[in-house]
Amino acid sequence: MSYDSNNIFAKIIRGEIPCEIVDESAFFISFYDLYPKAPIHVLVIPKGEFENAFSFHNDATQEQIYGFYQGLNQVIAKLDLNNIGFKLLSNNGVGGGQEIFHYHVHLLGGFENS
Ligand code: AMP
């Protein structure tokens, strides 16, 4: 499957669909999940065109990979999740439950025991 530049997250990056932004840089954008599955549920996505974790890790430049994961950490710190705890989840491929085919990481937190 090749990257479809009309996927929802590509449209969010281009500003064609609104979202509630947490943080962004030249390399990533993070925004609240529209259908949260945890008290805190944000998505962090690279701005480049990558379908899933495998293609991102395979095809992105070192600068893109560093910029993305640095952004992820920035969001973790901004939401204080480094202190209260969090889960990181990435669904990959139809068999992995992925619904939107632009690489993204789910950042989940605020659970009862946190
Ligand atoms: P996945 O199953 O890993 O592909 O997850 C896609 C996620 O995107 C789901 O958790 C959806 O709730 C979320 N989602 C779908 N549309 C939007 C949107 N327009 N803005 C924010 N989150 C969205």
Side-chain angles (χ1 to χ4, degrees), residues 25-111:
S25 78
F27 297 104
F28 80 99
I29 181 166
S30 174
F31 50 91
Y32 284 94
D33 195 292
L34 203 54
Y35 309 102
K37 284 101 189 162
I40 300 169
H41 186 175
V42 307
L43 301 170
V44 186
I45 73 176
K47 284 195 172 170
E49 297 190 339
F50 303 101
E51 193 181 326
N52 55 37
F54 184 78
S55 60
F56 182 63
H57 297 149
N58 221 31
D59 301 335
T61 64
Q62 286 188 6
E63 190 184 33
Q64 286 174 315
I65 292 172
Y66 180 76
F68 172 73
Y69 285 106
Q70 192 192 39
L72 173 60
N73 245 20
Q74 208 170 291
V75 173
I76 289 168
K78 190 166 190 171
L79 299 176
D80 201 33
L81 291 168
N82 50 317
N83 290 314
I84 63 178
F86 60 91
K87 295 180 198 287
L88 266 188
L89 174 73
S90 174
N91 300 319
N92 286 269
V94 175
Q98 186 174 7
E99 290 173 358
I100 298 179
F101 294 90
H102 179 110
Y103 176 46
H104 55 280
V105 171
H106 296 255
L107 185 52
L108 305 142
F111 300 100

